[in-house]
Structures are given as C-alpha cells and as structure tokens.
C-alpha cells in the first residue's frame, strides 16, 4: 500500500522559510504526479501545488502561494519537497503530500491519498 510521510514542519516567524519533505513508498513514485495540500484544523483542504511525474514541467500553484512556495521532487529518492518562503500567519496549517493531481475539498485525502501531515505554524 502507498505510504507517504511528511516532515519538516515547525514554528517560524512571519517572513521565514521552511522546507517540507515527503517520503513515498509502496508505489512507483516516478509514475505519479504529486501534490501538496493543506488544512487549517476545522476547515476543508486547500490544494497548493502539483508537480508532474517527471518533474520537468513547471509545477502549478494556487494563487495564495504562487511566488512564495516551490515544489520539487527527486524520483531517485522517492521524495517530494515543498519550499515555503516569505511565510505569513495565514499559511499556518497542517501540510500534506498527496498522491495525484489537483483536488478540491474533502476529496483531497478521502481515499488514503495523503500522509499524516506536518504542522506549520507561522507566528511571532
């Protein structure tokens, strides 16, 4: 079965940076587009970014993070990354990597597509 493990979250001040990592196993990582989504506790999932399976194409981003976040992947390591720059308090959420492309709301992680998440808190 597919397994996704996110790491790298933490507490950071506004304007700061973090790098999230997603370790994938249990499926052929290089054959799948991968995404990042986030969830503020008590609210729905928000799609953030998708990268194609080969990583050569330009990743797509939600307007809320465009120009600040960058998605990349290393298929030789079965890893997905999210670089978060110029963080804002409204970026505070639990961040999940997702097997697959763009999604909306509850469909994002309803069928085991996501890991357990890593918490990012942006606060001074």
């Amino acid at each position: 079965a597919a397994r996704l493990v996110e790491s790298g979250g933490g507490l950071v001040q506004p304007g700061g940076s973090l790098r999230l990592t997603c370790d994938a196993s249990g499926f052929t990582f290089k054959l799948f587009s991968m995404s990042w989504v986030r969830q503020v506790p008590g609210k729905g999932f928000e799609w953030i970014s998708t990268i194609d399976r080969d990583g050569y194409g330009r990743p797509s981003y939600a307007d809320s993070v465009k120009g600040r976040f960058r998605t990349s992947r290393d298929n030789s390591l079965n890893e997905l990354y999210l670089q978060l720059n110029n963080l804002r308090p409204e970026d505070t959420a639990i961040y999940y990597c997702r097997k697959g492309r763009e999604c909306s709301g509850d469909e994002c992680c309803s069928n085991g597509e996501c890991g357990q998440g890593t918490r990012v808190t942006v606060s001074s």
Side-chain angles (χ1 to χ4, degrees), residues 21-24 29 72-81:
T21 297
C22 173
D23 289 290
F29 180 72
S72 59
R73 65 190 294 165
D74 188 331
N75 286 346
S76 68
L77 298 177
N78 289 350
E79 291 187 343
L80 177 72
Y81 310 104

Side-chain angles (χ1 to χ4, degrees), residues 16-118:
S17 297
L18 284 173
R19 189 192 195 211
L20 308 184
T21 297
C22 173
D23 289 290
S25 60
F27 65 102
T28 307
F29 180 72
K30 65 181 180 181
L31 297 183
F32 289 85
S33 297
M34 295 292 296
S35 300
W36 288 97
V37 300
R38 66 186 180 185
Q39 185 184 34
V40 175
K43 297 188 178 180
F45 288 96
E46 177 189 11
W47 169 80
I48 295 173
S49 177
T50 295
I51 186 168
D52 290 337
R53 59 186 184 179
D54 58 15
Y56 293 149
R58 182 175 298 179
S60 55
Y61 298 96
D63 288 343
S64 58
V65 306
K66 196 173 295 182
R68 300 187 298 120
F69 291 8
R70 186 171 67 86
T71 296
S72 59
R73 65 190 294 165
D74 188 331
N75 286 346
S76 68
L77 298 177
N78 289 350
E79 291 187 343
L80 177 72
Y81 310 104
L82 183 66
Q83 178 68 39
L84 296 75
N85 298 322
N86 192 19
L87 282 159
R88 305 167 179 169
E90 54 264 39
D91 294 318
T92 296
I94 300 172
Y95 285 70
Y96 301 84
C97 65
R98 181 181 191 272
K99 178 187 174 188
R101 297 196 61 85
E102 294 86 347
C103 60
S104 177
D106 289 344
E107 72 173 11
C108 288
C109 298
S110 60
N111 292 305
E113 304 96 329
C114 303
Q116 85 292 343
T118 185

